[in-house]
Amino acid sequence: MTDEIPETKLTLSKRRWAEEGKFLTGRITRAETDRLPPGQHLVKNWPVLDLGQQPQISVSDWSLQIVGAVENPVKLDWHAFHQLPQTNTLSDIHCVTTWSRYDNRWQGVSTHDLLDMVMPRPEANFVLLTSYDGYTTNLPLADFASEDGILATAWESEPLTRDHGGPMRLVIPHLYFWKSAKWLRRIEFLVGDQAGFWEKNGYHMLGDPWREQRYSED
Ligand SMILES: Nc1nc2c(c(=O)[nH]1)N[C@H]1C(S)=C(S)[C@@H](COP(=O)(O)O)O[C@H]1N2
Ligand SMILES: [Mo]
């Protein structure tokens, strides 16, 4: 028995996650031949898709609010957000409208590091994301926590442009890109799943490109 290290809420919670195998979605490694999901085609450019309202949020007005089933709800301003560990990822984009784009280099805060800070409660199983344009989207917490998940502030070493969701967007590369909320302002941790904008309009609650989960009947 080791009794030197006092059991804190954090260590208890992390041990519980490990025991439950929570957040073990991890990096999804696939054979190169499996890289392009069914029904997708490759593009070299980067299309812009949104509801047509591209909010202009200066970093001095920006904040990210974390609410719901977490131990440490918090509202982070731009400075506080940059105090969190910074991460780089390289990942592919798969949009439900059938384009895919390989090798996007993102910089920002990994969803893992965010979860370490806010500590989801045991009953939290889903997240609902809300953006500055009013857009919402939902996904399971385990998918939000995937190793490649990042709250991105830069793309290819340049600040993320407004049309692609700057100053900050989510990127969850193993799901269709509509789950990757641009201009993210709020993350709510939920016990039960709650449909976001496209999900209320017939899109899939999960949206796994390799299972072609485009629409809710898929
Ligand atoms: N806030 C917000 N995020 C959004 C959307 C949106 O309309 N508003 N559209 C989604 C959809 S359908 C796609 S395909 C991607 C497009 O991101 P891009 O314009 O950077 O390619 O953003 C997703 N995130
Ligand atoms: Mo999309």
Side-chain angles (χ1 to χ4, degrees), residues 34-190:
D34 286 344
R35 190 171 178 183
L36 193 65
Q40 297 293 112
H41 69 275
L42 271 184
V43 298
K44 293 279 185 222
N45 62 321
W46 184 10
V48 172
L49 282 97
D50 50 54
L51 301 175
Q53 301 289 331
Q54 298 183 340
Q56 178 130 39
I57 313 297
S58 68
V59 297
S60 54
D61 291 336
W62 181 91
S63 68
L64 176 65
Q65 209 182 345
I66 316 287
V67 298
V70 289
E71 299 292 346
N72 306 312
V74 68
K75 189 173 180 178
L76 299 166
D77 64 14
W78 192 248
H79 178 75
F81 187 72
H82 285 80
Q83 299 302 108
L84 297 173
Q86 299 293 306
T87 299
N88 286 284
T89 64
L90 183 67
S91 60
D92 300 343
I93 297 172
H94 306 296
C95 175
V96 71
T97 63
T98 76
W99 60 269
S100 291
R101 190 180 190 285
Y102 285 169
D103 291 328
N104 298 274
R105 193 170 294 281
W106 304 101
Q107 193 185 347
V109 173
S110 79
T111 53
H112 253 267
D113 287 327
L114 186 86
L115 292 167
D116 270 355
M117 179 185 60
V118 302
M119 300 233 302
R121 295 211 199 104
E123 66 271 21
N125 280 311
F126 298 92
V127 295
L128 181 67
L129 310 166
T130 304
S131 297
Y132 279 99
D133 61 343
Y135 185 80
T136 53
T137 189
N138 56 294
L139 64 160
L141 177 52
D143 292 89
F144 178 80
S146 83
E147 196 183 319
D148 281 336
I150 188 166
L151 301 152
T153 52
W155 177 82
E156 302 297 336
S157 304
E158 295 292 335
L160 189 62
T161 56
R162 175 182 170 194
D163 55 343
H164 287 299
M168 191 278 271
R169 77 174 301 158
L170 179 67
V171 176
I172 300 292
H174 73 283
L175 299 179
Y176 283 125
F177 210 33
W178 89 77
K179 301 288 180 178
S180 293
K182 308 202 277 189
W183 313 293
L184 184 58
R185 74 179 297 175
R186 186 171 187 266
I187 305 173
E188 182 174 6
F189 290 76
L190 296 170

